[in-house]
């Protein structure tokens, strides 16, 4: 009987030792995910500026038309950004200085330019915003800036 207990104890001790040695490895790999393949980096460093133009005008005046907006882009934007731009039509809303929520047709203008030119282009972008506000009686023109990589 002692022989049986000894064999059982040896088998149990061996199993416990194997589990103790293998457990950290098993637990270490449980939560690990396979690393994703790195995304290739393409293109050059660019600045992206998006301008958000509303079309509703104060005092019940008619909204800015598409023709008026595109004429503004041709005259005020294209000369400073002749390499290209994108205009998207949309619907937007915002709260004006008086607290009223205004829902209106809007335009998003997307400009891309080399990151090294960001300081010089900033002045031109601010002129575009001021010119639109003045020309069409707008309280503001929204601006969003981001750093991106661009490849043409």
């Amino acid at each position: 009987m002692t022989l049986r207990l000894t064999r059982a104890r040896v088998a149990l001790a061996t199993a416990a030792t194997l589990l103790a040695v293998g457990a950290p490895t098993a637990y270490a790999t449980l939560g690990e995910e396979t690393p994703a393949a790195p995304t290739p980096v393409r293109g050059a460093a660019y600045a992206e500026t998006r301008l958000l133009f509303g079309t509703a005008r104060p005092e019940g005046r008619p909204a800015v038309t598409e023709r008026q907006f595109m004429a503004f882009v041709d005259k005020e934007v294209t000369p400073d950004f002749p390499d290209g731009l994108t205009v998207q039509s949309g619907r937007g809303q915002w709260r004006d200085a008086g607290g009223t929520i205004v829902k209106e047709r809007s335009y998003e203008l997307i400009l891309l330019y080399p990151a090294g030119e960001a300081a010089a282009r900033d002045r031109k972008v601010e002129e575009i915003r001021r010119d639109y506000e003045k020309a069409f009686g707008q309280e503001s023109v929204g601006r969003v800036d981001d750093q991106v990589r661009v490849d043409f």
Side-chain angles (χ1 to χ4, degrees):
M1 186 135 150
T2 347
L3 188 58
R4 282 180 147 170
L5 284 176
T6 309
R7 283 185 187 172
R9 284 185 183 168
V10 169
L12 188 59
T14 304
T17 303
L18 288 174
L19 283 173
V21 170
T25 306
Y27 285 120
T29 59
L30 265 181
E32 291 180 14
E33 296 178 17
T34 306
T39 303
V41 177
R42 298 199 194 295
Y46 268 65
E48 175 185 29
T49 298
R50 291 183 289 142
L51 298 178
L52 308 171
F53 298 90
T55 58
R57 297 217 251 177
E59 302 164 2
R61 294 187 357 229
V64 178
T65 66
E66 182 176 355
R67 179 176 286 179
Q68 289 171 317
F69 182 77
M70 292 312 297
F72 175 84
V73 169
D74 291 344
K75 180 180 176 193
E76 304 295 336
V77 181
T78 301
D80 290 328
F81 295 90
D83 293 334
L85 53 88
T86 300
V87 173
Q88 298 185 78
S89 296
R91 302 261 341 140
Q93 71 178 43
W94 73 297
R95 187 183 313 268
D96 69 12
T100 303
I101 293 180
V102 178
K103 295 181 180 189
E104 60 189 326
R105 189 172 40 82
S106 60
Y107 294 99
E108 178 182 33
L109 174 69
I110 303 169
L111 303 168
L112 295 170
Y113 43 91
E117 298 176 13
R121 299 292 184 121
D122 178 69
R123 181 183 53 79
K124 294 175 180 184
V125 169
E126 287 304 302
E127 285 176 11
I128 292 166
R129 293 175 74 197
R130 281 191 309 271
D131 290 348
Y132 189 82
E133 290 166 4
K134 184 178 176 183
F136 298 108
Q138 299 292 299
E139 218 171 276
S140 70
V141 170
R143 178 176 178 170
V144 180
D145 290 295
D146 204 358
Q147 294 182 10
V148 296
R149 299 202 64 84
V150 177
D151 185 26
F152 293 104

